[in-house]
Amino acid sequence: MASHLTLIVKVTNACNMRCRYCFIEPEIFHQTMSVATMQRVVRAFLDSPQLSSIQFVWYGGEPLLRGRGFFEQIIAEQQARPTQVRFANAGQTNATHLDDDLLELLTTSGFHIGLSLDGPARVNQRSRKLRVVRDTDAHAVTIAAAARLREHGQTPAAIVVVNRLNIGAAAAIYREFKLRGIEMQLNPLVQSGLAAAGEEDLGITADEYGDFLVRMFDLWFDDPHPTISIEPFRHHIARILGVATAPNCHFARSCHRSFLGISPRGDLFPCGMFQGEPEFRYGNIHELAPEDVAGTALFDRIDRREQRVLETCSRCVFLDLCYSGCMFHSLKNQRAFEEKDYYCGSYKQYFEHVLRRLHADLTRARHQLDAPAT
């Protein structure tokens, strides 16, 4: 394992929204993390002799359903005794339970808060719906939360799940995020959970996702006054220009060495997406120390899988930008874990376009890389 880890901790699989593409398998929706398991997670990683830094990402379901008390206990456990491991906290939320009291606690305690938004109201409402009808909708809740985060000194950022319902709305999505001053993370749909079991197939093809990435990149790259960043665009521009950047999980070599997921019951997985897949369970945090994950048969299997897949990609000119993509996409979208990412074709289309644009205008590329966020 790397000495720096990003740890995706699922404190609950429950959620008060019913997003039509939710990747969590329905049979584990009921699982919720106990305080004892949370404390074991914190101690196991902050007391590890082999780690130098940890990024805790508190995730769900909807993690804020756990309430203020649970997060107070997280903070208390992290501060309970000295540690040589540097750490930071983040949370990913639909913002429906992000009241002023909890927002104050989290931001003053250094938590970075991430949101989810699929576009303007008419687009977002197609896929992101509240379970219980309220006097507002998911879009309005997210926009209000973004404004309050900015008041607390954070630049709001949101994940966009690119799917059948918003694949044709790149321009509208870009305008919405720029108008609201929200930074963007693009993630393609994964055929898992409700996305795989729903009545309507919201999946997209690699060609469609490639067209979307190219369209969105041009909207952002050609904007004379960019005020938001978009990932993975900034990540890849930085890589191409030789600027150091943090790993992007979809485009990282040996991502299983830098990322771990923990289910509400304390089971360890290669990342947060794999819970619900028993054959990809390393062990349980109550029994397996973080430094022992690399000694498991599953870790060795993933190593061997990566070696084989990278050999098939070895002649690809984009290898060092992609490293075969996401293995969970292979497992769920392609139904073939030993193969490269289902979205391989889209990445090639996107990389070729980005390289051509950057080589034609390096000054513009550096400008976009350095553009200040709102």
Short mmCIF file of all heavy atoms in Angstrom, two decimals, residues 9 15 19 30 45 47 68 98 109 113 116 136 138 158 165 181 187 209 211-212 220 236 250 282 314-315 326 339 373:
data_model
loop_
_atom_site.label_atom_id
_atom_site.label_comp_id
_atom_site.label_asym_id
_atom_site.label_seq_id
_atom_site.Cartn_x
_atom_site.Cartn_y
_atom_site.Cartn_z
N VAL A 9 -15.26 5.94 3.54
CA VAL A 9 -15.91 5.28 4.67
C VAL A 9 -17.42 5.42 4.53
O VAL A 9 -17.96 6.53 4.61
CB VAL A 9 -15.46 5.88 6.02
CG1 VAL A 9 -16.00 5.04 7.17
CG2 VAL A 9 -13.94 5.98 6.09
N CYS A 15 -30.48 6.22 2.46
CA CYS A 15 -30.54 7.52 1.79
C CYS A 15 -31.98 7.97 1.71
O CYS A 15 -32.90 7.15 1.55
CB CYS A 15 -29.93 7.43 0.39
SG CYS A 15 -29.74 9.04 -0.42
N CYS A 19 -32.12 8.29 -6.28
CA CYS A 19 -31.51 8.62 -7.56
C CYS A 19 -31.65 7.41 -8.48
O CYS A 19 -31.38 6.27 -8.08
CB CYS A 19 -30.04 8.99 -7.39
SG CYS A 19 -29.79 10.44 -6.36
N HIS A 30 -29.82 -1.20 4.09
CA HIS A 30 -30.15 -1.08 5.51
C HIS A 30 -28.92 -0.95 6.40
O HIS A 30 -29.05 -0.61 7.59
CB HIS A 30 -30.93 -2.31 5.95
CG HIS A 30 -30.12 -3.57 5.89
ND1 HIS A 30 -29.85 -4.22 4.71
CD2 HIS A 30 -29.50 -4.29 6.86
CE1 HIS A 30 -29.12 -5.29 4.95
NE2 HIS A 30 -28.89 -5.35 6.24
N PHE A 45 -6.13 3.46 11.28
CA PHE A 45 -5.39 4.21 10.27
C PHE A 45 -4.50 5.29 10.90
O PHE A 45 -3.38 5.50 10.45
CB PHE A 45 -6.34 4.78 9.23
CG PHE A 45 -6.89 3.72 8.33
CD1 PHE A 45 -8.06 3.05 8.65
CD2 PHE A 45 -6.23 3.36 7.17
CE1 PHE A 45 -8.56 2.03 7.84
CE2 PHE A 45 -6.71 2.35 6.35
CZ PHE A 45 -7.88 1.68 6.68
N ASP A 47 -3.17 5.17 13.82
CA ASP A 47 -2.12 4.52 14.61
C ASP A 47 -1.21 3.64 13.75
O ASP A 47 -0.30 3.00 14.29
CB ASP A 47 -2.75 3.65 15.72
CG ASP A 47 -3.49 4.48 16.76
OD1 ASP A 47 -3.30 5.71 16.78
OD2 ASP A 47 -4.27 3.88 17.54
N ARG A 68 -25.53 15.17 13.81
CA ARG A 68 -24.40 15.90 14.38
C ARG A 68 -23.62 15.05 15.38
O ARG A 68 -22.38 15.07 15.39
CB ARG A 68 -24.91 17.17 15.06
CG ARG A 68 -23.80 17.99 15.73
CD ARG A 68 -24.35 19.14 16.57
NE ARG A 68 -23.26 19.78 17.28
CZ ARG A 68 -22.67 20.91 16.90
NH1 ARG A 68 -23.06 21.52 15.80
NH2 ARG A 68 -21.68 21.42 17.61
N LEU A 98 -28.00 19.08 5.67
CA LEU A 98 -26.90 19.99 5.98
C LEU A 98 -27.48 21.29 6.54
O LEU A 98 -27.46 22.35 5.89
CB LEU A 98 -26.08 20.25 4.72
CG LEU A 98 -24.75 21.00 4.91
CD1 LEU A 98 -23.79 20.20 5.77
CD2 LEU A 98 -24.12 21.30 3.55
N SER A 109 -14.43 22.44 11.62
CA SER A 109 -13.56 21.30 11.95
C SER A 109 -12.71 20.86 10.76
O SER A 109 -11.99 19.87 10.84
CB SER A 109 -14.42 20.12 12.41
OG SER A 109 -15.17 20.46 13.57
N ILE A 113 -16.76 19.72 2.05
CA ILE A 113 -18.07 19.15 1.74
C ILE A 113 -18.26 19.10 0.23
O ILE A 113 -18.16 20.13 -0.45
CB ILE A 113 -19.21 19.98 2.37
CG1 ILE A 113 -18.96 20.17 3.87
CG2 ILE A 113 -20.55 19.32 2.10
CD1 ILE A 113 -18.91 18.89 4.65
N SER A 116 -23.72 16.87 -5.01
CA SER A 116 -24.06 16.18 -6.26
C SER A 116 -25.09 17.00 -7.01
O SER A 116 -26.06 17.49 -6.42
CB SER A 116 -24.61 14.78 -5.97
OG SER A 116 -23.64 13.95 -5.37
N THR A 136 -39.69 21.83 -1.70
CA THR A 136 -38.57 22.16 -2.55
C THR A 136 -38.10 20.89 -3.22
O THR A 136 -38.61 19.80 -2.94
CB THR A 136 -37.44 22.81 -1.73
OG1 THR A 136 -36.41 23.26 -2.62
CG2 THR A 136 -36.84 21.80 -0.75
N ALA A 138 -34.58 18.57 -5.12
CA ALA A 138 -33.17 18.29 -4.89
C ALA A 138 -32.27 19.36 -5.47
O ALA A 138 -31.22 19.71 -4.90
CB ALA A 138 -32.82 16.92 -5.48
N ALA A 158 -19.32 19.70 -7.07
CA ALA A 158 -20.37 18.68 -7.17
C ALA A 158 -20.01 17.64 -8.22
O ALA A 158 -19.38 17.95 -9.24
CB ALA A 158 -21.72 19.31 -7.51
N LEU A 165 -30.03 10.48 -19.22
CA LEU A 165 -30.94 11.59 -19.04
C LEU A 165 -30.28 12.96 -19.14
O LEU A 165 -30.98 13.97 -19.22
CB LEU A 165 -31.63 11.45 -17.67
CG LEU A 165 -32.44 10.16 -17.48
CD1 LEU A 165 -32.97 10.08 -16.05
CD2 LEU A 165 -33.58 10.09 -18.49
N GLY A 181 -21.21 29.02 -9.73
CA GLY A 181 -19.86 29.00 -9.16
C GLY A 181 -19.52 27.68 -8.49
O GLY A 181 -18.86 27.65 -7.46
N ASN A 187 -18.43 11.99 -13.68
CA ASN A 187 -18.36 10.54 -13.49
C ASN A 187 -19.38 9.88 -14.41
O ASN A 187 -20.56 10.23 -14.37
CB ASN A 187 -18.69 10.13 -12.05
CG ASN A 187 -17.59 10.49 -11.07
OD1 ASN A 187 -16.48 10.85 -11.46
ND2 ASN A 187 -17.88 10.40 -9.80
N TYR A 209 -20.26 8.85 -24.40
CA TYR A 209 -19.51 9.53 -23.34
C TYR A 209 -18.33 10.29 -23.91
O TYR A 209 -18.02 11.40 -23.46
CB TYR A 209 -19.05 8.52 -22.29
CG TYR A 209 -18.45 9.17 -21.06
CD1 TYR A 209 -19.09 10.23 -20.42
CD2 TYR A 209 -17.23 8.73 -20.54
CE1 TYR A 209 -18.53 10.83 -19.30
CE2 TYR A 209 -16.67 9.32 -19.41
CZ TYR A 209 -17.33 10.36 -18.79
OH TYR A 209 -16.77 10.96 -17.67
N ASP A 211 -18.19 11.72 -26.87
CA ASP A 211 -18.74 12.95 -27.47
C ASP A 211 -19.05 13.98 -26.38
O ASP A 211 -18.81 15.18 -26.56
CB ASP A 211 -20.02 12.63 -28.24
CG ASP A 211 -19.76 11.84 -29.52
OD1 ASP A 211 -18.60 11.83 -29.99
OD2 ASP A 211 -20.71 11.22 -30.03
N PHE A 212 -19.60 13.50 -25.26
CA PHE A 212 -19.92 14.40 -24.15
C PHE A 212 -18.66 15.05 -23.60
O PHE A 212 -18.62 16.26 -23.37
CB PHE A 212 -20.66 13.64 -23.06
CG PHE A 212 -21.00 14.47 -21.86
CD1 PHE A 212 -22.21 15.13 -21.79
CD2 PHE A 212 -20.11 14.60 -20.79
CE1 PHE A 212 -22.54 15.91 -20.67
CE2 PHE A 212 -20.43 15.37 -19.69
CZ PHE A 212 -21.65 16.03 -19.63
N TRP A 220 -15.56 24.53 -21.84
CA TRP A 220 -14.71 25.07 -20.77
C TRP A 220 -13.43 25.68 -21.31
O TRP A 220 -13.05 26.80 -20.93
CB TRP A 220 -14.39 23.93 -19.80
CG TRP A 220 -13.44 24.26 -18.70
CD1 TRP A 220 -13.68 25.05 -17.61
CD2 TRP A 220 -12.10 23.77 -18.56
NE1 TRP A 220 -12.56 25.10 -16.80
CE2 TRP A 220 -11.59 24.32 -17.37
CE3 TRP A 220 -11.30 22.93 -19.33
CZ2 TRP A 220 -10.29 24.05 -16.93
CZ3 TRP A 220 -10.01 22.66 -18.89
CH2 TRP A 220 -9.52 23.22 -17.70
N HIS A 236 -5.80 16.21 -16.29
CA HIS A 236 -5.07 15.78 -17.47
C HIS A 236 -4.24 16.90 -18.09
O HIS A 236 -3.14 16.65 -18.60
CB HIS A 236 -6.04 15.19 -18.49
CG HIS A 236 -6.53 13.83 -18.11
ND1 HIS A 236 -7.86 13.49 -18.03
CD2 HIS A 236 -5.84 12.71 -17.74
CE1 HIS A 236 -7.97 12.23 -17.66
NE2 HIS A 236 -6.77 11.74 -17.47
N HIS A 250 -10.05 7.33 -11.35
CA HIS A 250 -10.37 6.66 -12.60
C HIS A 250 -9.15 6.53 -13.51
O HIS A 250 -9.17 5.72 -14.45
CB HIS A 250 -11.46 7.43 -13.36
CG HIS A 250 -12.81 7.27 -12.77
ND1 HIS A 250 -13.93 7.90 -13.26
CD2 HIS A 250 -13.24 6.54 -11.71
CE1 HIS A 250 -14.99 7.57 -12.54
NE2 HIS A 250 -14.59 6.75 -11.59
N TYR A 282 -11.44 -7.63 1.15
CA TYR A 282 -10.13 -7.99 1.70
C TYR A 282 -10.26 -8.69 3.06
O TYR A 282 -9.49 -9.58 3.38
CB TYR A 282 -9.28 -6.74 1.91
CG TYR A 282 -8.78 -6.07 0.66
CD1 TYR A 282 -9.05 -4.71 0.42
CD2 TYR A 282 -8.01 -6.74 -0.28
CE1 TYR A 282 -8.57 -4.06 -0.70
CE2 TYR A 282 -7.52 -6.10 -1.41
CZ TYR A 282 -7.81 -4.76 -1.62
OH TYR A 282 -7.33 -4.12 -2.74
N SER A 314 -0.25 -1.54 -23.65
CA SER A 314 1.14 -1.04 -23.66
C SER A 314 1.48 -0.24 -24.90
O SER A 314 2.36 0.62 -24.86
CB SER A 314 2.12 -2.21 -23.50
OG SER A 314 1.97 -3.13 -24.57
N ARG A 315 0.81 -0.51 -26.01
CA ARG A 315 1.11 0.22 -27.25
C ARG A 315 0.21 1.43 -27.44
O ARG A 315 0.35 2.14 -28.43
CB ARG A 315 0.98 -0.72 -28.45
CG ARG A 315 2.01 -1.85 -28.45
CD ARG A 315 1.93 -2.66 -29.73
NE ARG A 315 2.91 -3.73 -29.74
CZ ARG A 315 3.08 -4.59 -30.75
NH1 ARG A 315 2.31 -4.49 -31.82
NH2 ARG A 315 4.00 -5.54 -30.67
N CYS A 326 -10.89 2.46 -15.03
CA CYS A 326 -11.46 2.01 -13.76
C CYS A 326 -11.82 0.53 -13.81
O CYS A 326 -12.60 0.10 -14.68
CB CYS A 326 -12.69 2.85 -13.44
SG CYS A 326 -13.62 2.27 -12.00
N GLU A 339 -10.73 -7.27 -18.06
CA GLU A 339 -10.60 -6.42 -19.24
C GLU A 339 -10.41 -4.96 -18.83
O GLU A 339 -10.66 -4.57 -17.69
CB GLU A 339 -11.85 -6.54 -20.13
CG GLU A 339 -12.12 -7.94 -20.63
CD GLU A 339 -11.06 -8.45 -21.58
OE1 GLU A 339 -10.44 -7.62 -22.26
OE2 GLU A 339 -10.85 -9.69 -21.64
N ALA A 373 -10.80 29.82 -9.09
CA ALA A 373 -12.17 29.41 -8.85
C ALA A 373 -12.93 30.55 -8.19
O ALA A 373 -12.35 31.43 -7.58
CB ALA A 373 -12.19 28.17 -7.96
#
